[in-house]
Amino acid sequence: ILNVEQSPQSLHVQEGDSTNFTCSFPSSNFYALHWYRWETAKSPEALFVMTLNGNEKKKGRISATLNTKEGYSYLYIKGSQPEDSATYLCATNTGNQFYFGTGTSLTVIP
Amino acid sequence: NAGVTQTPKFQVLKTGQSMTLQCAQDMNHEYMSWYRQDPGMGLRLIHYSVGAGITDQGEVPNGYNVSRSTTEDFPLRLLSAAPSQTSVYFCASSPVVGTGNYGYTFGSGTRLTVV
Protein backbone atom coordinates (compact mmCIF):
# COMPACT_ATOMS: atom_id res chain seq x y z
CA ILE A 1 0.00 0.00 0.00
CA LEU A 2 1.33 3.42 -0.95
CA ASN A 3 0.76 6.45 1.25
CA VAL A 4 -0.40 9.34 -0.92
CA GLU A 5 -0.98 12.59 0.91
CA GLN A 6 -2.62 15.75 -0.34
CA SER A 7 -2.63 19.19 1.20
CA PRO A 8 -4.44 21.26 2.04
CA GLN A 9 -7.59 19.24 2.70
CA SER A 10 -9.77 22.17 1.62
CA LEU A 11 -9.31 25.62 0.23
CA HIS A 12 -11.54 28.64 -0.32
CA VAL A 13 -10.30 31.31 -2.72
CA GLN A 14 -11.79 34.40 -4.32
CA GLU A 15 -12.55 34.42 -8.02
CA GLY A 16 -9.45 35.55 -9.89
CA ASP A 17 -6.98 34.30 -7.27
CA SER A 18 -4.31 31.82 -8.23
CA THR A 19 -3.83 28.78 -6.06
CA ASN A 20 -1.87 25.57 -5.74
CA PHE A 21 -2.07 22.23 -3.96
CA THR A 22 0.43 19.52 -3.13
CA CYS A 23 0.50 15.77 -3.62
CA SER A 24 3.19 13.77 -1.78
CA PHE A 25 4.01 10.17 -2.58
CA PRO A 26 6.78 7.61 -2.00
CA SER A 27 9.64 8.36 -4.36
CA SER A 28 10.91 4.78 -4.63
CA ASN A 29 9.68 2.54 -7.48
CA PHE A 30 7.85 5.41 -9.12
CA TYR A 31 5.74 4.67 -12.21
CA ALA A 32 3.30 7.52 -12.77
CA LEU A 33 1.39 10.33 -11.10
CA HIS A 34 -2.16 11.18 -12.06
CA TRP A 35 -4.29 14.23 -11.28
CA TYR A 36 -8.08 14.04 -11.42
CA ARG A 37 -10.80 16.63 -11.10
CA TRP A 38 -13.94 15.50 -9.29
CA GLU A 39 -17.02 17.70 -9.37
CA THR A 40 -19.88 17.09 -6.96
CA ALA A 41 -22.34 14.42 -8.17
CA LYS A 42 -20.05 13.48 -11.05
CA SER A 43 -17.20 11.02 -11.60
CA PRO A 44 -13.50 11.84 -11.40
CA GLU A 45 -12.05 13.00 -14.71
CA ALA A 46 -8.38 12.68 -15.60
CA LEU A 47 -6.50 15.99 -15.85
CA PHE A 48 -2.87 14.96 -16.19
CA VAL A 49 -0.75 11.84 -16.39
CA MET A 50 2.92 12.42 -15.62
CA THR A 51 5.69 9.86 -15.70
CA LEU A 52 9.02 11.71 -15.93
CA ASN A 53 10.83 13.73 -13.31
CA GLY A 54 10.58 17.39 -14.17
CA ASN A 55 7.40 16.89 -16.21
CA GLU A 56 5.26 19.98 -16.53
CA LYS A 57 1.80 19.71 -18.04
CA LYS A 58 -0.74 22.41 -18.79
CA LYS A 59 -4.41 22.48 -19.73
CA GLY A 60 -5.80 25.98 -20.02
CA ARG A 61 -5.38 27.71 -16.65
CA ILE A 62 -4.39 24.50 -14.85
CA SER A 63 -0.85 23.17 -14.77
CA ALA A 64 1.08 20.53 -12.84
CA THR A 65 4.69 19.77 -12.05
CA LEU A 66 6.36 16.57 -10.92
CA ASN A 67 9.42 15.87 -8.76
CA THR A 68 9.93 12.11 -8.55
CA LYS A 69 13.21 12.33 -6.64
CA GLU A 70 11.63 14.04 -3.67
CA GLY A 71 8.16 12.57 -4.17
CA TYR A 72 5.83 15.48 -4.77
CA SER A 73 3.66 17.09 -7.42
CA TYR A 74 2.06 20.53 -7.48
CA LEU A 75 -1.19 21.46 -9.19
CA TYR A 76 -1.59 25.15 -10.03
CA ILE A 77 -4.75 27.01 -11.03
CA LYS A 78 -4.24 30.50 -12.42
CA GLY A 79 -7.08 33.01 -12.10
CA SER A 80 -9.55 30.67 -10.38
CA GLN A 81 -13.13 30.69 -11.64
CA PRO A 82 -16.27 29.38 -9.89
CA GLU A 83 -16.38 26.48 -12.35
CA ASP A 84 -13.00 25.32 -10.98
CA SER A 85 -14.75 24.39 -7.72
CA ALA A 86 -14.20 20.66 -7.31
CA THR A 87 -12.13 18.12 -5.44
CA TYR A 88 -8.73 17.48 -6.99
CA LEU A 89 -7.33 14.00 -6.52
CA CYS A 90 -3.86 12.68 -7.15
CA ALA A 91 -2.90 9.02 -7.50
CA THR A 92 0.21 6.97 -8.04
CA ASN A 93 0.75 3.29 -8.75
CA THR A 94 2.84 0.25 -8.02
CA GLY A 95 2.46 -1.70 -11.23
CA ASN A 96 -1.20 -2.57 -11.50
CA GLN A 97 -2.52 -0.95 -8.32
CA PHE A 98 -3.30 2.75 -8.08
CA TYR A 99 -3.48 4.54 -4.74
CA PHE A 100 -5.37 7.79 -4.35
CA GLY A 101 -4.96 10.64 -1.95
CA THR A 102 -8.00 11.96 -0.10
CA GLY A 103 -8.14 15.06 -2.28
CA THR A 104 -8.11 18.83 -1.98
CA SER A 105 -11.56 20.40 -2.03
CA LEU A 106 -11.46 23.78 -3.79
CA THR A 107 -14.25 26.33 -3.50
CA VAL A 108 -13.99 29.45 -5.63
CA ILE A 109 -16.08 32.29 -4.25
CA PRO A 110 -17.56 34.62 -6.89
CA ASN B 1 -19.28 5.95 -27.20
CA ALA B 2 -20.77 5.30 -23.75
CA GLY B 3 -17.47 4.95 -21.84
CA VAL B 4 -17.91 3.14 -18.52
CA THR B 5 -21.47 2.26 -17.57
CA GLN B 6 -22.38 1.28 -14.01
CA THR B 7 -25.71 -0.05 -12.81
CA PRO B 8 -27.59 0.46 -10.60
CA LYS B 9 -27.01 4.07 -9.51
CA PHE B 10 -28.60 3.51 -6.10
CA GLN B 11 -29.29 0.38 -4.07
CA VAL B 12 -30.51 -0.42 -0.57
CA LEU B 13 -29.80 -3.90 0.77
CA LYS B 14 -30.61 -5.66 3.97
CA THR B 15 -27.77 -7.20 5.97
CA GLY B 16 -26.99 -10.64 4.60
CA GLN B 17 -28.42 -10.07 1.14
CA SER B 18 -26.26 -10.54 -1.93
CA MET B 19 -26.14 -8.47 -5.08
CA THR B 20 -24.06 -7.73 -8.14
CA LEU B 21 -22.92 -4.29 -9.23
CA GLN B 22 -22.54 -4.19 -12.99
CA CYS B 23 -19.77 -2.43 -14.90
CA ALA B 24 -19.33 -2.38 -18.66
CA GLN B 25 -16.95 -0.44 -20.90
CA ASP B 26 -16.99 -0.10 -24.68
CA MET B 27 -13.46 1.28 -25.17
CA ASN B 28 -11.68 -2.09 -25.43
CA HIS B 29 -9.72 -1.27 -22.28
CA GLU B 30 -7.59 -4.09 -20.91
CA TYR B 31 -7.63 -2.87 -17.32
CA MET B 32 -10.72 -2.57 -15.15
CA SER B 33 -11.03 -1.96 -11.45
CA TRP B 34 -13.48 -1.37 -8.61
CA TYR B 35 -13.03 1.30 -5.95
CA ARG B 36 -15.04 2.26 -2.93
CA GLN B 37 -15.20 5.80 -1.67
CA ASP B 38 -15.81 6.51 2.00
CA PRO B 39 -15.74 9.89 3.76
CA GLY B 40 -12.23 10.91 4.77
CA MET B 41 -10.64 7.84 3.23
CA GLY B 42 -10.41 8.56 -0.47
CA LEU B 43 -10.79 5.94 -3.16
CA ARG B 44 -9.66 2.46 -2.13
CA LEU B 45 -9.05 -0.35 -4.60
CA ILE B 46 -11.20 -3.46 -4.08
CA HIS B 47 -10.34 -5.71 -7.04
CA TYR B 48 -8.84 -5.23 -10.45
CA SER B 49 -8.37 -7.08 -13.72
CA VAL B 50 -5.63 -6.76 -16.36
CA GLY B 51 -7.59 -8.69 -18.98
CA ALA B 52 -10.30 -11.26 -19.58
CA GLY B 53 -9.90 -14.22 -17.23
CA ILE B 54 -7.44 -12.42 -14.93
CA THR B 55 -8.41 -10.79 -11.65
CA ASP B 56 -6.54 -9.83 -8.50
CA GLN B 57 -7.17 -8.32 -5.10
CA GLY B 58 -6.65 -4.72 -4.21
CA GLU B 59 -6.41 -3.00 -0.86
CA VAL B 60 -9.85 -3.94 0.56
CA PRO B 61 -11.08 -7.16 -1.12
CA ASN B 62 -12.84 -8.90 1.79
CA GLY B 63 -16.55 -9.50 1.23
CA TYR B 64 -16.36 -8.97 -2.53
CA ASN B 65 -15.90 -11.23 -5.54
CA VAL B 66 -15.21 -10.35 -9.15
CA SER B 67 -14.90 -12.13 -12.48
CA ARG B 68 -13.86 -11.01 -15.95
CA SER B 69 -15.28 -13.34 -18.56
CA THR B 70 -15.16 -10.69 -21.33
CA THR B 71 -13.06 -7.61 -22.00
CA GLU B 72 -16.16 -5.42 -21.67
CA ASP B 73 -17.69 -6.54 -18.35
CA PHE B 74 -16.38 -6.57 -14.79
CA PRO B 75 -19.15 -7.25 -12.24
CA LEU B 76 -18.61 -6.87 -8.50
CA ARG B 77 -20.47 -9.28 -6.23
CA LEU B 78 -21.31 -8.69 -2.62
CA LEU B 79 -21.73 -12.14 -1.13
CA SER B 80 -23.42 -11.27 2.16
CA ALA B 81 -23.90 -7.54 2.58
CA ALA B 82 -22.80 -5.89 5.82
CA PRO B 83 -23.39 -2.32 7.05
CA SER B 84 -19.61 -1.73 6.70
CA GLN B 85 -20.09 -2.09 2.94
CA THR B 86 -22.26 1.01 2.81
CA SER B 87 -20.29 3.18 0.41
CA VAL B 88 -20.13 4.68 -3.05
CA TYR B 89 -18.63 2.26 -5.56
CA PHE B 90 -16.81 3.31 -8.70
CA CYS B 91 -15.75 1.20 -11.62
CA ALA B 92 -12.80 2.52 -13.62
CA SER B 93 -10.98 1.36 -16.72
CA SER B 94 -7.76 2.15 -18.53
CA PRO B 95 -6.23 0.99 -21.82
CA VAL B 96 -3.27 -0.51 -19.96
CA VAL B 97 -1.93 0.01 -16.46
CA GLY B 98 1.46 -1.24 -15.41
CA THR B 99 3.49 1.87 -16.21
CA GLY B 100 0.48 4.10 -15.56
CA ASN B 101 0.79 6.03 -18.81
CA TYR B 102 -2.95 6.28 -19.18
CA GLY B 103 -5.51 7.84 -16.89
CA TYR B 104 -8.62 6.10 -15.69
CA THR B 105 -12.09 6.54 -17.13
CA PHE B 106 -14.58 6.31 -14.28
CA GLY B 107 -18.18 5.19 -14.24
CA SER B 108 -20.85 7.35 -12.62
CA GLY B 109 -20.86 5.40 -9.36
CA THR B 110 -23.26 3.25 -7.37
CA ARG B 111 -24.43 4.47 -3.99
CA LEU B 112 -25.04 1.41 -1.82
CA THR B 113 -26.67 1.44 1.58
CA VAL B 114 -26.78 -1.69 3.74
CA VAL B 115 -29.31 -1.59 6.57
Side-chain angles (χ1 to χ4, degrees):
Chain A
I1 296 175
L2 297 182
N3 188 26
V4 180
E5 295 184 350
Q6 291 188 248
S7 62
Q9 195 169 35
S10 66
L11 199 53
H12 290 72
V13 301
Q14 293 289 331
E15 181 176 352
D17 286 350
S18 294
T19 187
N20 64 85
F21 339 124
T22 304
C23 173
S24 301
F25 54 88
S27 56
S28 58
N29 297 319
F30 176 82
Y31 286 90
L33 191 285
H34 293 189
W35 281 101
Y36 292 83
R37 169 191 165 89
W38 194 357
E39 293 181 71
T40 302
K42 294 188 178 180
S43 313
E45 290 186 353
L47 281 173
F48 303 116
V49 175
M50 296 186 288
T51 57
L52 298 176
N53 185 45
N55 256 178
E56 283 192 38
K57 297 223 171 174
K58 188 174 181 181
K59 186 180 292 188
R61 294 179 291 99
I62 304 176
S63 60
T65 61
L66 177 66
N67 184 322
T68 61
K69 294 181 180 178
E70 296 183 37
Y72 64 85
S73 175
Y74 293 138
L75 188 79
Y76 300 92
I77 302 178
K78 185 177 179 182
S80 303
Q81 298 297 308
E83 58 265 30
D84 295 328
S85 296
T87 295
Y88 292 84
L89 298 174
C90 68
T92 189
N93 66 314
T94 62
N96 290 321
Q97 298 199 36
F98 262 89
Y99 295 91
F100 283 81
T102 53
T104 293
S105 174
L106 174 67
T107 302
V108 182
I109 303 163
Chain B
N1 190 342
V4 178
T5 302
Q6 280 185 244
T7 56
K9 291 192 183 303
F10 302 94
Q11 183 71 50
V12 179
L13 286 180
K14 293 183 179 178
T15 298
Q17 286 185 317
S18 62
M19 79 159 294
T20 300
L21 279 62
Q22 301 291 344
C23 176
Q25 53 90 10
D26 60 359
M27 299 170 285
N28 203 31
H29 284 177
E30 288 187 5
Y31 184 92
M32 296 184 74
S33 57
W34 277 101
Y35 285 86
R36 59 178 288 172
Q37 192 255 329
D38 301 294
M41 301 201 72
L43 291 164
R44 291 184 294 167
L45 182 64
I46 303 171
H47 284 285
Y48 66 96
S49 168
V50 298
I54 306 169
T55 64
D56 208 343
Q57 296 181 352
E59 186 181 352
V60 288
N62 291 340
Y64 308 95
N65 273 355
V66 292
S67 60
R68 184 97 179 267
S69 56
T70 66
T71 300
E72 294 78 20
D73 299 300
F74 190 45
L76 178 72
R77 296 183 187 84
L78 280 70
L79 307 172
S80 177
S84 60
Q85 294 178 303
T86 294
S87 187
V88 181
Y89 292 84
F90 286 95
C91 179
S93 72
S94 176
V96 176
V97 186
T99 58
N101 285 336
Y102 299 91
Y104 276 135
T105 300
F106 281 86
S108 57
T110 296
R111 184 173 293 274
L112 175 69
T113 302
V114 182
V115 297

